[in-house]
Amino acid sequence: MSPARFPRLLAAETRLILRERLTWAILAALLVALCVGARTGAVRVEAERAALARAAQDEARAVREARAAHLRYARPTPVTVNYWQDPTHAFGYMTQFLVSHAVKPPTPLAGLATGQSDVQPGLIRVGFGFSTVFDDTAYEPGAVAALRLGPFDLAFVLVALVPLAVIALAGTRLAAEQDSGLLRLIAAQPVGPRAVAGAKFGAAALVMVAAVLGETALALGLFGDLPPFAGWGATLALLAASLAAYVGLWVALCALAVSLWRGAVAALAVLVLAWAGLTVALPAALGLAAEALAPRPSRIAAIDASRQAQARFYAGDEAARV
């Protein structure tokens, strides 16, 4: 077959894919998943920004109250006020009135992927007065079971569900021809089997790349939260290129599976196993390896060390009093 005929064959295969009802069902389900994922990320970012706004209001309120107390206590009075309660004293202001927060504002791309932000608090109130070792119990990020499942965000859809859509669309290419023996008839024609396979999987790659990029942009435009930032054009272009390469990788895996295993059932089984290994088993194994090589700090050990430090501090005060 001459190279000039391949574009026409590719266009014909693309039209055939677009005429199939299964194609549009797969793309519709993928669009719904992308919209849900984009909305999940946007809601989480909105909640983090609202929490930061409330923290800023809390700090402003504390400053107003401290100024009002300073005006009251600055007047001469026979009442003796302890220095740790006196707002005109630096130590009293620090322990009784000062309110400050350690904040972790959402990044510009936080709406795309949750990452580890759901297991780390977005803000913690920093206390300078008398406290306990359990101050962070008010900032528990959520239920452990929900955190183990992970969020249904846009990154999850793109990494885990897009490959399934590619497998559903491209995993059965050439399967009917192989099962019916039509490939032998194609081999006797001017159009060789390699050209037919290239056209079929090339058309699947074109359809899926265009659909994934377009539907992702539509989901972000309708439900996402992606504010402009410095260098956003280059960043989005890099993300789009990576996503297109990811889709192309799975189309290539589909072509490899179809060429090595005869029959649609065997090819789909191999592809589903590959998907489970790359998206589930491999990340889990890497996480276990990282945990074994660099264990996380023990919460119990941190609490015990804090208790011992407080015991030494108060023991010094008692010795000084004696």
Side-chain angles (χ1 to χ4, degrees):
M1 178 180 139
S2 62
R5 295 182 180 179
F6 183 78
R8 288 185 290 178
L9 183 60
L10 181 63
E13 291 293 342
T14 303
R15 289 193 296 269
L16 289 176
I17 292 177
L18 294 177
R19 289 176 183 174
E20 296 177 1
R21 294 182 178 179
L22 178 62
T23 300
W24 294 104
I26 293 172
L27 297 182
L30 184 60
L31 177 60
V32 172
L34 288 170
C35 291
V36 173
R39 183 55 185 167
T40 301
V43 169
R44 183 180 54 80
V45 171
E46 291 174 1
E48 291 181 0
R49 291 174 179 168
L52 295 180
R54 290 193 298 268
Q57 294 175 0
D58 188 24
E59 293 180 1
R61 175 196 54 78
V63 170
R64 292 193 301 268
E65 294 180 354
R67 288 177 177 175
H70 182 276
L71 294 176
R72 291 196 305 270
Y73 284 87
R75 300 172 184 174
T77 176
V79 178
T80 302
V81 180
N82 297 321
Y83 73 95
W84 64 83
Q85 296 175 329
D86 187 357
T88 63
H89 193 280
F91 188 83
Y93 172 76
M94 181 181 68
T95 57
Q96 301 295 329
F97 296 93
L98 181 59
V99 175
S100 182
H101 294 83
V103 300
K104 180 175 65 63
T107 62
L109 298 180
L112 300 182
T114 300
Q116 296 293 316
S117 61
D118 59 340
V119 298
Q120 298 292 336
L123 64 94
I124 295 179
R125 180 166 176 167
V126 180
F128 297 93
F130 299 99
S131 60
T132 68
V133 296
F134 301 103
D135 285 342
D136 58 346
T137 55
Y139 306 99
E140 293 294 339
V144 176
L147 293 176
R148 287 184 179 275
L149 291 176
F152 193 89
D153 57 1
L154 197 62
F156 171 78
V157 178
L158 295 176
V159 172
L161 299 187
V162 165
L164 289 179
V166 174
I167 292 172
L169 184 65
T172 57
R173 300 291 110 182
L174 291 180
E177 289 83 350
Q178 288 179 346
D179 294 339
S180 62
L182 188 59
L183 285 182
R184 297 179 180 177
L185 180 60
I186 294 176
Q189 303 300 319
V191 180
R194 292 184 178 180
V196 173
K200 285 184 175 293
F201 289 105
L206 290 176
V207 170
M208 286 305 302
V209 168
V212 170
L213 293 180
E215 291 183 351
T216 302
L218 180 61
L220 287 175
L222 294 177
F223 303 100
D225 189 339
L226 193 63
F229 56 92
W232 68 274
T235 301
L236 293 183
L238 180 61
L239 291 175
S242 302
L243 186 56
Y246 187 63
V247 173
L249 170 65
W250 280 100
V251 173
L253 290 177
C254 291
L256 180 63
V258 171
S259 62
L260 295 179
W261 283 272
R262 298 289 181 178
V265 176
L268 288 177
V270 171
L271 289 171
V272 171
L273 289 177
W275 169 83
L278 292 177
T279 61
V280 179
L282 181 60
L286 292 177
L288 293 175
E291 181 68 21
L293 295 175
R296 289 174 293 180
S298 172
R299 178 181 174 86
I300 301 300
I303 292 176
D304 185 60
S306 179
R307 285 175 172 171
Q308 293 178 6
Q310 288 192 5
R312 290 193 298 268
F313 175 79
Y314 290 117
D317 282 352
E318 292 177 358
R321 292 173 185 173
V322 173

